[in-house]
């Protein structure tokens, strides 16, 4: 294409890159107009408390919360919104939360960053058991 004018070459390169840029934007979006890029703003009922076994963690993707059961009567809850780019985290392996947007990883038992690009820990949420059900969120 040595005979192609520079302006045309630039246009063709841009056209070739457009699908890749679109994929990048899709990876950074929540798929729902960004409406699920925030932690619960009110207490949420997560269901039966015995679903989370002692020493285990459970990710509640719809509520954007992860709960770890530290002991028989101690639970810890954190927002499952990545602190790097506000993507909802949808993957939990053992106690490791993995953000699909940019690869940040967090410890579900304490909210700490295990792998960057995130540098801030996940915000802790209040969690309690009411009538055999877990309730998590601000002022739960």
């Amino acid at each position: 294409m040595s005979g192609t004018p520079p302006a045309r070459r630039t246009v063709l390169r841009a056209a070739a890159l457009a699908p890749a840029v679109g994929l990048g934007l899709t990876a950074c979006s929540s798929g729902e107009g960004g409406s699920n890029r925030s932690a619960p703003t009110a207490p949420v009922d997560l269901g039966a408390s015995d679903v989370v076994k002692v020493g285990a963690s459970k990710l509640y993707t719809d509520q954007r919360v992860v709960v770890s059961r530290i002991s028989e009567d101690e639970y810890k809850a954190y927002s499952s919104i990545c602190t790097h780019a506000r993507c909802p985290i949808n993957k939990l392996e053992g106690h490791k939360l993995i953000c699909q947007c940019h690869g940040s990883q967090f410890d579900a038992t304490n909210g700490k960053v295990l792998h960057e690009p995130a540098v801030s820990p996940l915000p802790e949420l209040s969690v309690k058991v009411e009538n055999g059900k877990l309730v998590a969120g601000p002022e739960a």
Side-chain angles (χ1 to χ4, degrees), residues 111-136:
K112 291 183 180 177
V113 176
L114 299 174
H115 188 272
E116 295 179 351
V119 294
S120 299
L122 296 172
E124 187 169 1
L125 302 171
S126 297
V127 62
K128 62 184 176 182
V129 177
E130 285 183 354
N131 301 320
K133 292 186 177 190
L134 284 173
V135 178

Side-chain angles (χ1 to χ4, degrees), residues 72-94:
E72 189 63 38
D73 59 351
E74 182 184 6
Y75 295 85
K76 291 282 186 175
Y78 297 89
S79 164
S80 62
I81 301 298
C82 182
T83 58
H84 170 250
R86 309 287 311 147
C87 292
I89 299 171
N90 295 321
K91 187 173 185 181
L92 176 67
E93 293 178 353

